[in-house]
Amino acid sequence: MRILIANDDGYLAPGLAALVRACDGLGHIDVIAPEQNASGTSNALTLNRPLSIFEARGEHVKGFRVVNGTPSDCVHVALTGLLAQRPDLVLSGINNGANMGDDTLYSGTVAAAMEGYLFGVPAIAFSQAEKGWGHLEAAAAAARAVVEQVLAQAPLGGLPWLLNVNIPNREDAASLPRVVTRLGRRHASEPVIVQTNPRGEPIYWIGPAGDARECGEGTDFHAVAQGRISITPLQVDLTDHASSAAWAARLAGA
Ligand code: MN
């Protein structure tokens, strides 16, 4: 088995090294990750300049390939020419912080996995529920257990699938129950934070994500709050199928 691993926190992020270590022995592993933290870049591709790739040196990142671009760039380049052989599985993460509910639309972690999925490769995005890398090794062990269980149950090589996994920051993360969830929803983001730059001009910081709004039973937020590992199967089609007929009626004859 060939596994491609990427992330959005950058190639130096502890979560990436932990995921790579946790996958040791599962197959041939290629790591291709962004040079800088690219959290919140969603599915962006870099189209206004060429990309450069170098091989990382150093104890925890040896052999990692580094792209001066986005998470999606990493997987895109890997699958469209960089890798001599197509991977059987794409993994992304482990992210520094939750990717639940609306986060999935902004997340570079989810996007890196989604890029694999869009190219027909099964993919899993992993995130720790809280920032700060608390109990990271336990999260990595949990991630490996998810990979092993999924591979045992869902054969590779058929229709691709995309899973979004959020892991509570707990010492016992690897032994927590795993539950399949749906995405919850967050409240609107906090207001933008306005400051003044040294030239007296206003600058704007995007505010933090809102708290969970729809977080009832069955959602990713609920599962993580209950101390479970949340596994949400994702699809990419944004079509509002439920309202398509109503729109067709409204717009008929227009
Ligand atoms: Mn991130």
Side-chain angles (χ1 to χ4, degrees):
M1 181 170 62
R2 306 184 76 86
I3 304 174
L4 169 61
I5 302 181
N7 79 341
D8 81 348
D9 294 326
Y11 78 103
L12 294 172
L16 177 65
L19 181 59
V20 173
R21 279 197 302 277
C23 290
D24 189 42
L26 287 177
H28 175 87
I29 295 175
D30 288 294
V31 183
I32 305 180
E35 185 173 18
Q36 298 189 332
N37 191 321
S39 296
T41 54
S42 191
N43 300 82
L45 291 175
T46 300
L47 304 177
N48 59 351
R49 58 176 173 82
L51 297 166
S52 299
I53 300 176
F54 67 89
E55 194 165 312
R57 295 157 184 261
E59 197 181 344
H60 300 293
V61 297
K62 200 165 189 290
F64 292 10
R65 273 173 280 188
V66 183
V67 179
N68 62 342
T70 67
S72 293
D73 286 335
C74 294
V75 176
H76 192 100
V77 169
L79 296 180
T80 56
L82 184 62
L83 294 182
Q85 280 181 268
R86 179 183 171 88
D88 303 296
L89 181 67
V90 172
L91 303 179
S92 179
I94 300 171
N95 188 58
N96 183 23
N99 278 307
M100 300 192 287
D102 316 41
D103 302 338
T104 51
L105 289 174
Y106 299 97
S107 168
T109 303
V110 172
M114 192 180 290
E115 194 70 11
Y117 172 76
L118 292 173
F119 277 87
V121 183
I124 312 176
F126 291 104
S127 303
Q128 281 196 290
E130 288 164 36
K131 288 183 188 286
W133 309 117
H135 303 298
L136 177 59
E137 289 307 315
R144 171 160 183 144
V146 168
V147 171
E148 287 183 328
Q149 189 189 13
V150 166
L151 292 182
Q153 302 298 329
L156 299 172
L159 284 176
W161 35 261
L162 175 60
L163 301 178
N164 182 44
V165 178
N166 283 274
I167 303 167
N169 295 57
R170 287 172 47 153
E171 193 174 4
D172 60 352
S175 58
L176 294 175
R178 298 187 276 265
V179 56
V180 173
T181 57
R182 60 186 158 84
L183 298 180
R185 292 291 304 272
R186 286 189 185 275
H187 285 287
S189 188
E190 300 286 322
V192 72
I193 295 153
V194 189
Q195 296 177 336
T196 306
N197 77 6
R199 289 172 294 283
E201 298 151 345
I203 53 174
Y204 301 85
W205 289 96
I206 298 284
D211 288 331
R213 173 165 60 88
E214 188 192 324
C215 52
E217 191 149 1
T219 64
D220 44 6
F221 290 110
H222 189 265
V224 165
Q226 297 292 313
R228 299 190 172 111
I229 294 170
S230 167
I231 303 178
T232 313
L234 299 182
Q235 61 181 1
V236 173
D237 183 2
L238 293 176
T239 307
D240 185 354
H241 292 282
S243 68
S244 284
W247 277 108
R250 260 178 236 166
L251 300 177

